[in-house]
């Protein structure tokens, strides 16, 4: 799995950090997404997929 | 201004929006809207000024439109489906903000507001929210029985929290609550809307100026600092403060009041919250209540900037779009048995209660923590809680942009 994020599109809704906190964090000053790992461990992969699905800005992409 | 309908029905036959909910079904969408959109995820309705617009109820269609850059929130475009006469008249003085700007301008405003609402920062507020909730419940239990739950808990908790977060003096809450609730009635005249806006705006302008001169550790001071830095004008900063203040307490307050009514009417579901100390169960219950209760029920307003094909219809450039979020939460294609309140529903968090696309709620993680604390505490601390009046005596906010109850007489023991 390879995870990428588009910070320009991010609207800091916090959905990814709430859904997959081991994969995504947010910048302190404005909440924009920060990718913690682009290759999450197998047991975190579902959370990452879920985060991509709930991102309101469609800013998270996953290649399987 | 009214404009020609493009659907098959002549304008006179286009039904009026908003539509009433059915008597005795305070938790379900209007039957008229369900009938109108039974076959397709969108239809035409007529609003207060007689103009016809698309209303979108399907979950997938809403998500597609709300994340489509051809769909705009720019209320200054001709043909925009304004909420009421007051909002239409307010174009003259309402500055740009997240609420009425599109990308990329939108992200400039949004990123000035989002810092205090990150997942980590709102999680850090959980102990404070818990303490205030416990204190308010203690106070209610020590006072007269029956009591009004709206006055005792639903309204003061979010108001205290947003006041503290923004740095707005809590002593002023009666003033801003009064103006906030007046501003969101369905039927507001131009004059009244202007007066409300000016009163709140002057108040926020003064606060922003004060915070710029004497910064404190709060969100309004951060916003005021951006004025000093030349990133924002004072009217823009005041608009941001007003938006956060209004969006930040009325919505959560309605979610607390309305959820309590719904749970008292569904004792088997209330038992789920009363009998658990698992934060995952509580978090799931919050998502299901966000889905089930249509707090934001009047339809979010948008306008098409280009022709868009969707759901077998063609929305033409310049046509208004009313996105009725609540109906999408009852879309059977996404939520099996959608009218059933099921706190264990697996995919509840796919609801559109916070919207979708770039305008999705700024305060959603904050609201989630507030609701998790309140729902997780209230029914455990007062297991005998019940309505002090019958359901049909409770007055629902049918006439408000944000649905809820005006007051909620409860008793216990
Ligand atoms: C349960 C409580 C809440 C609900 C159901 C709710 C619902 C919504 C919805 C549906 C939208 C999207 C509007 C649209 O797309 O047209 C929205 C936007 C917004 N909400 Fe909330 N909200 C809640 C609580 C809050 C809180 C606590 C705050 C702030 C402290 C807040 C601040 C905002 C702001 C600033 C926007 C505009 C975002 C933008 O346009 O980019 N909301 N909310």
């Amino acid at each position: 799995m390879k995870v990428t994020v588009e910070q320009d599109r991010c609207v800091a809704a916090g959905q990814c950090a709430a859904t997959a906190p081991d994969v995504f964090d947010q910048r302190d000053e404005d909440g924009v997404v920060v990718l913690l790992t682009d290759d999450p461990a197998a047991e975190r992969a579902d959370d990452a997929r879920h985060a991509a699905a709930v991102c309101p800005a469609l800013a998270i992409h996953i290649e399987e | 201004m009214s404009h020609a309908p493009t659907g098959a029905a002549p304008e006179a036959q286009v039904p009026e929006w908003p539509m009433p909910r059915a008597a005795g079904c305070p938790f379900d969408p209007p039957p008229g809207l369900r009938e109108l959109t039974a076959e397709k995820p969108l239809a035409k309705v007529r609003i207060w000024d007689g103009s016809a617009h698309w209303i979108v109820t399907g979950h997938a269609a809403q998500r597609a439109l709300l994340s489509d850059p051809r769909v705009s929130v720019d209320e200054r475009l001709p043909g925009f489906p304004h909420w009421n006469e007051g909002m239409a008249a307010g174009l003259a003085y309402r500055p740009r903000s997240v609420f009425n700007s599109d990308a990329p301008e939108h992200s400039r405003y949004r990123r000035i507001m989002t810092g205090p609402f990150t997942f980590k920062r709102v999680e850090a507020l959980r102990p404070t929210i818990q303490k205030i909730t416990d204190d308010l419940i203690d106070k209610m239990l020590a006072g007269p029985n029956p009591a009004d739950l709206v006055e005792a808990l639903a309204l003061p908790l979010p108001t205290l929290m947003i006041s503290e977060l923004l740095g707005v003096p809590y002593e002023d809450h009666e003033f801003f609550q009064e103006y906030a609730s007046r501003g969101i009635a369905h039927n507001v005249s131009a004059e009244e809307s202007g007066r409300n806006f000016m009163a709140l705006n002057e108040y926020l302008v003064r606060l922003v100026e004060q915070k710029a001169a004497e910064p404190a550790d709060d969100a309004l001071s951060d916003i005021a600092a951006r004025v000093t830095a030349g990133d924002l004008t004072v009217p823009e900063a005041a608009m941001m403060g007003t938006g956060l203040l209004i969006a930040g307490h009325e919505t959560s307050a309605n979610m607390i009041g309305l959820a309590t009514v719904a749970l008292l009417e569904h004792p088997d579901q209330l038992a789920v919250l009363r009998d658990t100390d698992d934060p995952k169960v509580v978090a799931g219950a919050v998502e299901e209540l966000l889905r089930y209760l249509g707090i934001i029920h009047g339809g979010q307003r948008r306008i098409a900037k280009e022709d868009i094909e969707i759901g077998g219809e063609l929305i033409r450039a310049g046509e208004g779009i009313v996105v009725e979020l609540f109906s999408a939460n009852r879309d059977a294609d996404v939520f099996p048995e959608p009218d059933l309140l099921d706190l264990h529903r697996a995919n509840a968090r796919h609801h559109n209660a916070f919207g979708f696309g770039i305008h999705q709620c700024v305060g959603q993680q904050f609201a989630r923590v507030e609701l998790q604390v309140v729902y997780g505490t209230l029914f455990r601390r007062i297991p005998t809680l019940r309505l002090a009046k019958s359901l049909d005596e409770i007055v629902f906010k049918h006439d408000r942009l944000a649905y809820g109850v005006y007051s909620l007489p409860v008793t216990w023991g």
Side-chain angles (χ1 to χ4, degrees):
Chain A
M1 170 182 277
K2 183 163 169 58
V3 184
T4 51
V5 296
E6 287 180 84
Q7 287 185 324
D8 287 351
R9 297 187 74 154
C10 175
V11 296
Q15 296 275 54
C16 57
T19 317
D22 299 312
V23 185
F24 306 96
D25 197 358
Q26 294 178 272
R27 279 199 310 234
D28 276 342
E29 66 273 24
D30 58 8
V32 166
V33 61
V34 176
L35 192 58
L36 296 174
T37 167
D38 66 358
D39 181 19
E43 68 272 20
R44 301 282 173 239
D46 258 353
D47 289 350
R49 283 184 202 105
H50 201 101
V54 294
C55 172
L58 313 177
I60 300 173
H61 308 284
I62 294 195
E63 266 177 63
E64 296 288 346
Chain B
M1 290 313 301
S2 117
H3 58 271
T6 52
E11 186 139 351
Q13 286 171 23
V14 174
E16 251 179 69
W17 179 258
M19 293 175 185
R21 298 188 189 217
C25 301
F27 303 116
D28 291 336
L33 181 62
R34 290 193 142 165
E35 217 170 283
L36 188 67
T37 53
E39 306 295 326
K40 287 194 168 176
L42 69 169
K44 281 272 175 113
V45 289
R46 210 150 35 89
I47 61 170
W48 60 276
D49 65 351
S51 60
H53 305 274
W54 293 100
I55 190 161
V56 187
T57 55
H59 187 277
Q62 286 192 359
R63 290 204 161 196
L65 289 171
L66 290 171
S67 53
D68 189 325
R70 295 171 298 179
V71 173
S72 170
V73 291
D74 188 349
E75 59 185 2
R76 298 178 195 178
L77 293 174
F80 190 87
H82 298 285
W83 285 103
N84 52 38
E85 186 193 333
M87 287 296 282
L91 290 182
Y93 49 79
R94 207 163 31 246
R96 285 285 186 208
S97 69
V98 279
F99 302 105
N100 61 9
S101 62
D102 298 326
E105 193 186 13
H106 169 263
S107 104
R108 186 170 76 80
Y109 294 118
R110 177 128 178 161
R111 287 187 181 187
I112 295 176
M113 306 168 84
T114 41
F117 300 103
T118 63
F119 178 65
K120 278 188 182 158
R121 281 183 67 182
V122 301
E123 276 299 326
L125 295 173
R126 192 180 286 269
T128 311
I129 297 173
Q130 184 69 57
K131 166 120 193 14
I132 297 178
T133 302
D134 280 323
D135 289 352
L136 289 167
I137 293 176
D138 287 341
K139 208 170 132 196
M140 182 175 93
L141 291 176
N145 180 358
D148 175 8
L149 192 83
V150 171
E151 211 179 289
L153 177 67
L155 202 49
L157 172 73
T159 308
L160 278 160
M161 286 308 302
I162 195 68
S163 304
E164 163 131 355
L165 208 143
L166 285 176
V168 171
Y170 183 68
E171 308 86 84
D172 297 340
H173 71 103
E174 277 173 12
F175 162 78
F176 63 72
Q177 274 165 351
E178 165 77 14
Y179 281 91
S181 64
R182 277 197 223 164
I184 62 168
H186 269 311
N187 212 338
V188 188
S189 72
E191 296 73 32
E192 192 192 347
S193 178
R195 272 199 308 277
N196 290 344
F197 179 85
M198 293 309 167
L200 263 179
N201 186 255
E202 270 172 36
Y203 175 72
L204 261 301
V205 165
R206 270 203 311 279
L207 263 180
V208 166
E209 285 169 348
Q210 186 191 324
K211 301 276 179 188
E214 290 169 55
D217 185 15
D218 54 45
L220 263 189
S221 296
D222 293 350
I223 291 173
R226 303 298 286 264
V227 176
T228 312
D231 297 338
L232 275 184
T233 65
V234 171
E236 285 173 335
M239 186 65 228
M240 235 175 233
T242 308
L244 286 171
L245 194 56
I246 295 181
H249 78 275
E250 175 89 21
T251 43
S252 299
N254 285 328
M255 274 302 297
I256 296 170
L258 203 56
T260 304
V261 185
L263 289 166
L264 291 173
E265 288 296 302
H266 295 84
D268 55 323
Q269 297 300 307
L270 189 146
V272 172
L273 279 167
R274 192 191 56 215
D275 301 340
T276 190
D277 50 14
D278 181 349
K280 280 217 172 85
V281 172
V282 176
V286 167
E287 298 308 318
E288 172 65 352
L289 284 156
L290 283 163
R291 182 194 75 83
Y292 180 77
L293 302 169
I295 298 295
I296 307 294
H297 69 154
Q300 299 309 115
R301 306 304 161 102
R302 299 291 194 270
I303 187 166
K305 288 196 293 189
E306 294 172 35
D307 291 359
I308 301 168
E309 268 179 65
I310 186 139
E313 298 279 6
L314 175 66
I315 301 179
R316 288 183 206 275
E319 289 184 342
I321 307 172
V322 175
V323 185
E324 222 282 304
L325 298 172
F326 179 34
S327 295
N329 293 346
R330 301 295 186 93
D331 184 335
D333 288 347
V334 181
F335 306 107
E337 293 197 73
D339 295 336
L340 203 72
L341 177 64
D342 171 10
L343 299 192
H344 292 301
R345 188 182 288 276
N347 69 344
R349 65 173 301 147
H350 289 272
H351 61 69
N352 285 357
F354 290 121
F356 197 71
I358 63 171
H359 296 277
Q360 195 184 54
C361 185
V362 164
Q364 60 183 288
Q365 307 307 339
F366 177 58
R368 283 188 166 104
V369 177
E370 288 183 325
L371 299 178
Q372 287 165 9
V373 169
V374 173
Y375 299 167
T377 305
L378 181 63
F379 308 105
R380 284 165 61 95
R381 287 211 46 197
I382 321 182
T384 58
L385 192 76
R386 57 194 184 274
L387 296 181
K389 280 188 177 171
S390 67
L391 184 65
D392 53 307
E393 287 174 287
I394 296 192
V395 186
F396 291 86
K397 298 180 178 178
H398 290 289
D399 58 334
R400 300 279 163 160
L401 300 184
Y403 192 60
V405 289
Y406 285 101
S407 69
L408 187 57
V410 291
T411 182
W412 58 89

